[in-house]
Amino acid sequence: MVSSYHFSMQIVKRSAGQSSVAAAAYRAGARLQDERKGVVHDYAGRRGIAHAEIMLPDGAAPWMADRERLWNHAEVLEKRKDAQLAREINMALPHEISAEARLDLVRSFVREQFVAKGMVADFALHDPVAEKGDDPRNFHAHIMLTMRMAGPHGLRAVKTREWNSDDMLKAWRQAWAQHQNRALERSGRRERVDARRLDVQRQEAHDAGDRAAAMAFDRVPEIHMGRRARNTERRGLQPVSRPRQDRTARPGAGEFRSAKVEKGRVRTVVYSSIDHGTRTQWNAEILTENERRSRSRIDKLERQAVRLRLRHMRALRVSSVPMRLALGQEHRQKIAQRHATRSSDLLQQIERLIAELLQVRTHRQKRHRDLLRLRDLGKMNGRGRF
């Protein structure tokens, strides 16, 4: 059985008008003073914050365990107006295990993958809030990481660039899947997660002869709906698809990265021809296509089951005839018995496939209904476009 997997990374940066102090306050549900901007970010009344904690590497200054001092210190070190302030990891947590097990899972992963490398990790566990319409399984964690190593006097003056590599991000994603699976196993659960693409998982299941898993993985992947997209749609705002200019290439390693783009390196992308509307509308289209595929497979399996039942009944009739002395008839009866056994096994496999596909289909139908409710809420609150 497959559980939900999500692991994404983003950068908190000034060029997007962001502040690491504000980001930390929001995720931890805290009230923090932003010394650089001279404002207070107060999210102390935010619901759904199950736990918030700062983990320090060995030898780090103890005062960095103070959230307000830590992120104001990080802000002071950054002088550029387009500075990268923090790295944020978003992870889905398994709803199948207990709250205590989820906390232990996040702590062990953060300690091994981030803190052991010298980062300061400020993480918060969020539980779903029913009053906000959250999915009851939407347990997740936000981890804010420093861009610099921590030492006895605070964060180092120079950033650690190797933490920016794609290979490290891939290693983190794979490690998170392994940590989750160990936690699920310790809790006695059958569910497992996988960080790989659906097509890779489908091919592996096909090669292993697991038809149920191969069929479950044969679907169009949904797109992630973050907090910003959900809040935008709840307010009833609709995106406007307009042609935009897009860079076709970046300067090479030996070139100066200027804000000016050379002629011929910009192309026009006509988004109105490729957009699917809002993320809710796009996911609704994907779920509709996945529903069509599921229905087609279930219909095919049900037709196979009908044929197998008829074959099984014929084989049973032949095998139940009283044994005669004729050698040919005895041989025929043995063949019929083998056919009856084989058709019975195949019928059980097909019925299991149908049951599992129906279970997956029921989950997708619920997801579809939830998306349509979000879309309808946006229509009721419709205010304009962005």
Side-chain angles (χ1 to χ4, degrees), residues 39-305:
V39 297
V40 174
H41 303 287
D42 189 356
Y43 295 99
R46 190 178 175 208
R47 295 173 297 174
I49 312 298
H51 181 83
E53 179 180 336
I54 293 177
M55 298 180 70
L56 302 177
D58 293 338
W63 58 262
M64 285 193 289
D66 183 308
R67 185 168 287 107
E68 187 171 87
R69 291 186 67 184
L70 168 65
W71 295 113
N72 275 299
H73 174 55
E75 290 278 349
V76 168
L77 291 175
E78 304 298 342
K79 309 300 182 184
R80 295 170 59 101
K81 64 181 180 182
D82 60 348
Q84 295 185 346
L85 306 168
R87 179 176 288 103
E88 185 193 5
I89 306 292
N90 300 323
M91 309 184 308
L93 303 179
H95 67 275
E96 297 90 348
I97 63 178
S98 67
E100 183 180 1
R102 282 193 291 269
L103 178 57
D104 290 342
L105 165 63
V106 174
R107 276 179 177 158
S108 65
F109 175 71
V110 169
R111 184 182 299 110
E112 176 189 294
Q113 295 297 318
F114 306 127
V115 177
K117 294 179 172 62
M119 307 178 204
V120 178
D122 182 2
F123 72 87
L125 272 59
H126 292 187
D127 287 354
V129 180
E131 294 80 2
K132 294 167 59 178
D134 293 346
D135 188 307
R137 300 164 298 179
N138 186 25
F139 297 91
H140 58 280
H142 296 269
I143 308 170
M144 286 185 61
L145 304 166
T146 57
M147 307 291 286
R148 305 162 189 262
M149 281 190 179
H153 305 294
L155 298 176
R156 292 186 179 179
V158 179
K159 290 183 177 178
T160 309
R161 302 297 180 185
E162 55 264 32
W163 294 344
N164 298 334
S165 72
D166 291 340
D167 288 340
M168 183 159 285
L169 177 58
K170 292 176 183 177
W172 288 339
R173 287 179 54 82
Q174 188 60 41
W176 175 235
Q178 294 168 357
H179 274 259
Q180 262 190 279
N181 287 334
R182 285 198 293 268
L184 288 164
E185 185 177 6
R186 283 195 298 269
S187 298
R189 303 291 305 196
R190 293 177 51 213
E191 295 86 351
R192 295 294 182 267
V193 300
D194 200 315
R196 297 172 300 170
R197 300 194 316 270
L198 286 175
D199 57 342
V200 176
Q201 297 179 59
R202 181 174 65 248
Q203 186 60 47
E204 181 181 81
H206 182 270
D207 294 343
D210 190 344
R211 291 183 65 192
M215 288 182 176
F217 290 133
D218 186 16
R219 65 183 188 271
V220 181
E222 296 178 45
I223 60 171
H224 178 61
M225 286 193 64
R227 174 182 54 85
R228 172 184 271 176
R230 285 187 175 275
N231 290 342
T232 298
E233 294 196 37
R234 283 195 178 104
R235 293 197 302 270
L237 300 177
Q238 295 290 320
V240 177
S241 299
R242 47 173 83 92
R244 298 182 186 179
Q245 303 300 310
D246 185 37
R247 297 189 182 192
T248 58
R250 294 181 178 179
E255 299 179 52
F256 178 70
R257 295 196 174 190
S258 170
K260 297 181 180 179
V261 184
E262 296 178 9
K263 190 174 182 180
R265 303 184 78 175
V266 174
R267 65 189 177 99
T268 300
V269 181
V270 184
Y271 280 96
S272 57
S273 65
I274 59 176
D275 275 352
H276 296 257
T278 65
R279 286 178 177 261
T280 296
Q281 293 166 344
W282 195 350
N283 271 334
E285 291 178 15
I286 292 171
L287 286 167
T288 299
E289 170 60 20
N290 288 338
E291 163 67 12
R292 186 195 65 77
R293 292 188 184 189
S294 293
R295 183 67 262 174
S296 175
R297 292 191 198 97
I298 291 171
D299 288 344
K300 182 178 179 181
L301 288 170
E302 287 176 341
R303 289 194 297 270
Q304 291 179 1

Side-chain angles (χ1 to χ4, degrees), residues 306-326:
V306 169
R307 291 195 295 270
L308 275 172
R309 288 191 187 98
L310 292 173
R311 187 185 304 172
H312 183 62
M313 291 172 63
R314 286 196 297 268
L316 284 176
R317 282 198 298 270
V318 172
S319 62
S320 62
V321 173
M323 184 70 69
R324 294 189 177 91
L325 298 177

